[in-house]
Every structure is written in C-alpha cells, then in structure tokens.
Amino acid sequence: MRQTGPTPNASNLDFVEGLYAAFLSDPSSVGDEWRAYFATFSNGGPPARVGPSFRPRTLFDPSDAGGTRAGSTARMRDSDPAALQDRLDRLVRSYRVRGHMIAEIDPLGRPRPHFHELDPEHYGFTESDLDRAFAASDVQGPPTLKLREILERLRTTYCRTIGVQFMHIDDPRKKFWLQERMEASQNHVVLSRDEQVRILTRLTDAVIFEEFVQKKFLGAKSFSLEGSESLIPLLDLAIERGAEQGVVEIVIGMAHRGRLNVLANIIGKHPRDIFREFADQDPELHKGSGDVKYHLGYSNEFTTSAGATVHLSLCFNPSHLEFVNPVALGRTRAKQDRHGDARRRKGMALLIHGDASFAGEGIVQETLNLSELRGYTTGGTLHVVVNNQIGFTTDPEDARSSVYATDVAKMLQIPIFHVNGEDPEAVAQVVQLAMDFRNEFGSDVVIDMYGYRRRGHNEGDEPAFTQPLLYQAIRARKPVREGYLDHLLRLRGMTREEADEIAVGRRDHLEQEFSAAKSPDYVHKVDPLGALWHGFHGGPDASSPEVATNLPRESLAKLLEALTVVPKGFTPHPKIAKWLESRQEMARGEKPLDWAAAEALALASLAAEGVRVRLTGQDTERGTFSHRHSALHDVTTGYVHRPLQHVAENQAAVEIWNSPLSETAVLGFEYGYTLDCPNGLVIWEAQFGDFVNVAQPILDQFLLSAEEKWKRLSGLVLLLPHGFEGQGPEHSSARLERFLTQAAEDNIQVVNLTTPAQFFHCLRRQVLRPWRKPLVVMSPKSLLRHPKVVSTLDELATGRFHRILPDPRHAADAKRGSVKVDRVLLCTGKIALELEERRASLAREDVALVRIEQLYPLSDDSLARVLAPYPDGTPCVWVQEEPQNMGARRYLRLRFGSSILGRYPFFEISREPSASPATGSASSHKLEQEEILSRALGPLEKITQAR
C-alpha cells in the first residue's frame, strides 16, 4: 500500500489525536519529534480536544516519507486491539464527514480530489488488515465485519452517486437518524417494477417535451431542462411521498430553467396553452401587460398513484431568480394558518434553485434564516438545486468561494444531499430520505442534483464560446432517459418495445395539443385568483366605493379598556404601568388618542370583527420609537402578555412578530402571505423607511407590478417611517418619490397621514373595502408624540377617511370662490404641522393650508372640492421638506403642469436638489427647515419669480 501522511490542514486533527492517544498509552509508540511535542502538554495536563494550534507545520511535512511519520505509524500497527478499533472508528467517521468529497456525483465524470483521511493506510492499516475482523457496532449491518467489507459498505453509502453532508449537524437525534437510515440501506432504495416504470415515464415526459419544443419553435427561448431531466421524476416522487405524509398543498417557487417542463409535466398546465403562448397570436390581449411564458405561474390538482389529491401552486416569478423564495414561504404560511395547520404538516414549500444563484444571491441566506423562526417557520422546506455546474457563462471557480453551491445551507442543522442526476434511482433514494427527514423533524432539507445544461443559457446562446471543452463533453452525453432505460433493460424489468410505446404516446399527445393550440376555436380561460379571492377585485380605484370605517364610541372605549388589562399578578415595567393608565384615560374620554392608540384600536376592532391581523418588522413588538408595546413583559418573571390577543371572545388571530434583521426576505414573505390571505390585514413595518431600499426587488418585481403582469392582487400594508428631523441621510426619507414614480393604473395607494383618526380609518378601510391594492404609509416619527397630533374617540366613532384635509377654517365654505386668500399651501405629512405652527405665530390669516393625505390615487374631483372656496387664479404652492428632486414635487408637476385643474397657478418650495436625502448635521437641518418655512410664508413674489 502507498505510504501517505498528513498535510497541514484542520482535517488532520483526528489523526493527531490518534497519535496523542497512542503516546499516552505508550510514549515509545510515536516518533521522537511527536514525543517531544506531546510532552509539552504534561505540565498543564492534556487538552480535551487538540485544537488548531496543535498543528505545527514541521510535524505535517508531506515530504517526510519514511521519517518520523513512517516510524510512528509502523509502531501503531503493532498496538493492541483497542487501538486498532479506535483507528477503525476514526476511519469510519472520516467517511461520514468527507465521503461526499470523492462521491461520483458529477455526470460528466470530472475527477474528484483525493483525501488521505479516506485511505486505510492513513490510519496505519496494511493490506494484511483488510481481511481482519472488526467489531462493526458503529456501522449499520452485521456485528462483525472484515475491514474490506466495512470499507465497501462505507464507500457504497457515502461515495457512489450520492454524497451527503450531515456531520455538521449538532443535534445528535438528527445526525444518528440520518446515519442509521443511510447505512442500513447503503443509500440505496429498492424500487418495484411499477416505480421504475413511473420514473422512466417521467423521464420520457421531460425529454420528449424539450425535443418537441425545440422542433416546433426553433430558436425560441424556453430555458430548457435538457441535461437535468431527472428534476421531473424528482418532483413527482417528492409529491407522492409528501401525500403519503399528509401534505395536501405544496407551493413551488422556481426560476425559468425548466419551468415550462415543470408546468406541463408536474403542475398539469395544458401544453396547448404553453404552445399558444409560444405562438404569441393575441397582441391585443396583452397590450401593456402580461409577462413572458417562462415567468408565469399556475395552480392545479395533482393526483398521486394512490389516488390522493395534492394542490400545487407554482408561484409567478420574474428573472430575479431567488427572490421568489420568501414569497413562496409566505404563501405556504398563509395556507397553513388559514386551515388551522398549527403543526405545519399539511402545507409545504418546495423551492427549486439554480446552483449559481443559490451561492450568489444573498436572499437565499435571508430565506434560510427564516426557517426556524416562530413568526416565519413553515415546517420545513424542500430545497432542490438544479446544478448545471455553470452560471450564464461563468465557471464555479469564478462564481463562489465555497466547495459546493449549497454550502450556505450549512448554517442550518439540516442535511445536504448531493446526487448524480444521471442515476434516477439515486435521486429516488435522496428524495425519500429528504421528505422523511422533513416529516420527522419539521426542518428544511437540501437536494443538490448534479446535471448539466445541454444548450446555452437560452436556446439562442452559443455556450462553446466560453466553455468549449465542457460542451464537447456534454455533446457526447446521451439523455438520462436512455441511460436509465439501458439500466432497466439489463435488469430485464422492461423491454425496448414497452419503452418505445410510452414515448410514442407522449409524442402523439403533444401533437394533439399543438393542433389544438393552432385551432381558431382555441379559448384559454383561467382565473389567476381562484375561489379564495371571490368577492375581491383590483382594477380602478373608482370601481370600489368608500365604506363605513367608524364604530360606536362605546365599542371603541371597551376595546381600548381591554387593551389595558393584564393578567392577575402581572408586574409591568413602571413606565409601562403609567402608559397603561394613560390608555385608560383615553378610553374614558379624559385624554385624546395618540397615534399608537389609534393603531391599536384599528387592529383590535378588526380582530374583534373576525379579521386576521399580522404585523411584522424589526423590533415591531415594542416599536422602533417605543410607542407600540404590543408585547408586555413581566419585570419579575419575564412572562409576555399580548393584549391584542385578548380583546374579544372568538376574535381572530393577531400576530405581531419581531422579524430578523432583514428587509428583502421579510417583505417578500409578507407579500406572499397576502396572496393567500385576501381577507386579512397584513402589515410590514420598516425600522426606518429608508431601509425599504434594500427590498427594492420585491417592490419592483412583485408588489407594484404583479396585477399588471400576472393578475395577482395584494393588500399588503407598508409602514415606512418618514420625516426630516435631522437624523441624517439614512433616517429621514422612505423615498416617497420612488413609489410615486412607479404609481400607474391605480396599482398602489400612497398616503402620508397627519392625524390618528386618519390612520385608524385608513387601516380599517384597507380591509373593509373589497378593493385590494398595496398600501404604502409614510408613517410618522416625531408626530407619534406631538401634542397636536391627537384625535378624539368621536372622530373614530363618527368620522371617515379623508383623502385630502381642507383648511378647517374654510371647510364649510361651499360656494365657489367665496374665500379670498393670498395663497394656498399644499403639503403632506409632518411639514403640515410645522407650517400650521408658523402660520399661527405670524397670524397669517390670508394663507390657506391644505393637507394631501392620499397622494395616489389622487382624484381631481377630491382636489376640486377642497379648492372650490378659493377663486380661480389663487396661487397654489406645494411645500415639501424633501429635496427638489425627491418627494412628491416631480410627480405633482407631471400630474398638473403649471396649473392645478387649469384654474390655480402651481408653484413649489423644497430643499435644493441633492444626491443625498438629508444632511447629517442637526444644525444644518434646522437651518434648511427654517428656510422652507420662511419661503412658504414669505413674500409671494419670491415664490412666483423662483419658477
């Protein structure tokens, strides 16, 4: 046998520990250099575990063949049986830890690295030891085995076409469960003939679909699955296994690679509909809307071989690849909550990833981090990586710093199965293991299926430009179906005639569908919303009238009182006790309502009416500005009381969760939740509104465009703290201008409110109207405790939501042109309070102040009614605290031009244009704010001449 030795890396610790154990038993059994080094531990006692510092490079010299190392290993061979058994145990462990590194998982057969830790001679074994019998109690199987038999079992289990990473798992239950399952079967599943035929049939479906599309739509983009067709039997087997375990709904998220194949062969979308989309013969139908065919989603019922039904939902997804992940999880959680699936066993998320995007997109880590959090767990997601071993044109060595594309998943206590996609039965084994692990532990699990991409990134791409050798090897590969058929023919489990019959049937079916797609009688009717959304609608704002959002004063007082009740013996923080007393005074009408009280009443009243409420975000339970306190903590016991969950009998659930420090994944999750919770109030709150910029892909690709692209509705509410208070560039602006720039076709609602009553009515209106659109709230910071930002119980009991708040001094003037003023100041949000205070201090009765509370949709009729008391020609001045190139200024200028409604000359006041939203100097902020207020209430000619 070849004499080998350790190299200087952390994986040699087991070897060194073995030498150290031998030294303790018999110091003469190791070489002089080792003996001298080990002796240094005698003064302080040996360490419990030899750490990284216990690796001097001189002791790991690879050139030391026949030297110190050879002498020590030679003496070890002659040690007692206990030492031999110990060396065997370390060899076994090395296969469990590193066997995946030499597994035959690459269908292209590229060489794998050599690892000394997997060589018997590394542990002092010789050829003569191979037939020595050892106790095999640590290896599943007979109690005694020869060394060569143990090695064969280990290599078969961990080094064939399945490689498993699981020894990073700290939980011994999970680790030993996997170890026993894999080693008992040597990582091989025994399939019946029917199961083998089903796999071959699914492979046939996948292969023939791609061949048919390439033939009928030459050069058209389809992002084919060729080279990774085993995905189709993989998904089929996963759904079958899930149904056996009680799963009745699966939400699937995936990018475009293989999506059409999955739609046709797993989800059950009629191929005729896909072919019609290729033909693109309905230009008027999709004018200005719709999406490309390989982004579209679909829902359908899947019938298993046992007759069970599983509802499949493939999420719509843009080309932002992994950003659909949290959306799919949010949908899954909503389905589970809607069906009372507290154990999270009936619904499951299945995410299909690409290797380059799984390693490269940070949203993957954010989504993995949600998996075990109380507010976001879904009972375990099945992750499937379709590993093409290449990005667009980028090789793995230029795309990631890790060995595997899936290494980021090692952050979780879950197994990662690497499997050769050209061995469908190995795929079947890992699917069974993965689904059983998920079912047993309620945890995520990863299948990394190695394949290749037979064509370029798309069908018009030439991959040999950049990877000529790789594509020489790929062109030499026959389809996986042919390889598996050869396997079945060798087993005599199927004849060539039977296989050909399956293929002919599939081709005939696609031809029939193709003919139907070309028929002039073709009609494609699909309801993207489904029965769950019956009674809700999108479309124009004007199509849904306003609704009553008020409640009887007595009911409001009762709810507010209930929010102050704590369990018997509960000891709140002294400041919270005073805060609760203040709430009681509000309930009695002795004190006006502040912003937080109005919010609490909106949530409590909806819950009492049976509306589910979900509010998440960073530090949302307490509130970033220490205003909400939805979770009260007993200062003596730590017990947490949540008042909103105790406001009425038979109330709906109220969930308020602190989120991880994530914007993108959490916003995506909440958006996904709304897709399957149309009748609930779902809110995401940013810690500061500025931070929403991190989640921009969720806004751009999903929230703001989904209705136009995919006919999908969402009623998600975004609370984005916004207001210039001298806190710097990242704590001032929620980028109002971005939302207004993207506002079109009534796709969203954008509000910047100034009273607690307005907030109360706005939140209730969001649910009580059947119109479902995202609601973006520029929520306040300093106004949360502003003495003038208060409302009475009566304003909640008798009022309603006002899109525009007129100047209260002129609100009763109905006659057009009856009020003479010098100017009308139009504004929104916090600046309104500052303008009001400055106007009062200057006694400027000739200045009117109008607050635009809803910036979009902005109704001409509403604005005309508010401005009616002022004569035509009265200057209207838009005043904002944001820089000129931000805020609502450009939106309003584009909306109205040089005059509002053609009657009122239009002017603006703002900060100077700026690349940064705000100054970092508090004193500079005050100076800038003062300039805005002075200009707004200063000489009119300076305003009109500035334009």
Side-chain angles (χ1 to χ4, degrees), residues 329-367:
L329 294 187
R331 290 193 64 185
T332 304
R333 174 80 174 218
K335 289 175 181 288
Q336 293 170 341
D337 289 347
R338 196 172 70 246
H339 295 306
D341 182 17
R343 294 185 63 247
R344 314 212 177 275
R345 287 292 179 267
K346 296 179 181 179
M348 185 183 90
L350 196 164
L351 300 179
I352 305 170
H353 313 269
D355 52 314
S357 59
F358 197 85
E361 297 282 1
I363 188 65
V364 172
Q365 181 274 335
E366 289 191 34
T367 304

